[in-house]
Amino acid sequence: MAGKTRLEIKDIYNITYDPESIPEEHRWAPIPQWYEKVIYKTIEELTVFDIWRMFMQELFVDTAVKRAIVYLKEDPFCTEINDGDIMRYLSKVDIELVKDFKEELLGIIANARKLKDEYDCMTEDDKIRYTAVIDSFEKKLLDLDNKSKTI
């Protein structure tokens, strides 16, 4: 499509990056290497690993939320990383970052609840932990209704 601008993470967050600003002894560490790559990606190019790392490093979390929803719709367990980690991290972000996606997230949670018993790759303990995560996240989302009624 002619004329369409490639909007990368560095553009979204107005990042000016100079690799020379990183001390030589840190340049080959995993985080600076990942950061240097991820800021040149578009939102659509972000992988599950990128989303996981964004949550872990608390970087670009609003973007991570949007992309995590896309991946969780495809696979509520996001199995490229530890099963359930993306859902777990998403459930812990500030409610302000997820409130506009409440209905989508409730749909993802309902799907996850339905699929988790059929999912072979989780141990029973993992399923119990995952259920606790989605139960807690669902409650957090449903509590949004109670908060809006009291305002």
Side-chain angles (χ1 to χ4, degrees):
M1 186 150 69
K4 186 169 182 185
T5 312
R6 179 181 159 85
L7 196 59
E8 297 172 338
I9 299 298
K10 68 177 178 46
D11 303 318
I12 295 168
Y13 294 95
N14 198 24
I15 296 169
T16 304
Y17 179 72
D18 176 14
E20 298 301 316
S21 67
I22 306 290
E24 182 68 36
E25 64 271 14
H26 297 294
R27 279 192 202 144
W28 303 111
I31 299 294
Q33 284 186 350
W34 167 79
Y35 182 83
E36 189 170 333
K37 290 176 186 163
V38 82
I39 63 172
Y40 291 100
K41 291 184 176 185
T42 64
I43 292 174
E44 293 76 21
E45 293 170 333
L46 295 171
T47 65
V48 171
F49 178 80
D50 292 328
I51 301 307
W52 176 77
R53 174 90 24 106
M54 291 162 106
F55 284 137
M56 293 275 297
Q57 298 301 315
E58 297 180 1
L59 288 170
F60 321 126
V61 175
D62 56 327
T63 298
V65 165
K66 293 172 191 166
R67 195 65 183 150
I69 290 169
V70 171
Y71 284 119
L72 288 168
K73 282 180 180 178
E74 295 169 8
D75 174 6
F77 309 107
C78 283
T79 54
E80 290 90 351
I81 306 292
N82 294 333
D83 295 343
D85 265 6
I86 298 297
M87 182 74 82
R88 183 169 54 88
Y89 282 112
L90 185 60
S91 74
K92 292 179 180 183
V93 301
D94 186 310
I95 194 69
E96 290 300 311
L97 294 174
V98 296
K99 70 179 184 181
D100 292 340
F101 307 104
K102 176 186 167 190
E103 294 308 317
E104 282 178 276
L105 290 167
L106 289 172
I108 290 167
I109 290 168
N111 189 41
R113 197 178 305 286
K114 182 176 73 177
L115 294 175
K116 76 174 172 46
D117 291 328
E118 302 167 12
Y119 191 62
D120 301 6
C121 297
M122 282 184 166
T123 66
E124 284 307 311
D125 286 345
D126 289 340
K127 287 180 184 179
I128 290 167
R129 280 191 291 278
Y130 189 76
T131 301
V133 166
I134 60 176
D135 287 349
S136 171
F137 194 23
E138 182 178 53
K139 181 180 180 328
K140 182 178 177 179
L141 292 166
L142 293 172
D143 282 349
L144 284 169
D145 291 337
N146 296 334
K147 288 180 182 175
S148 65
K149 290 177 185 175
T150 60
I151 296 178

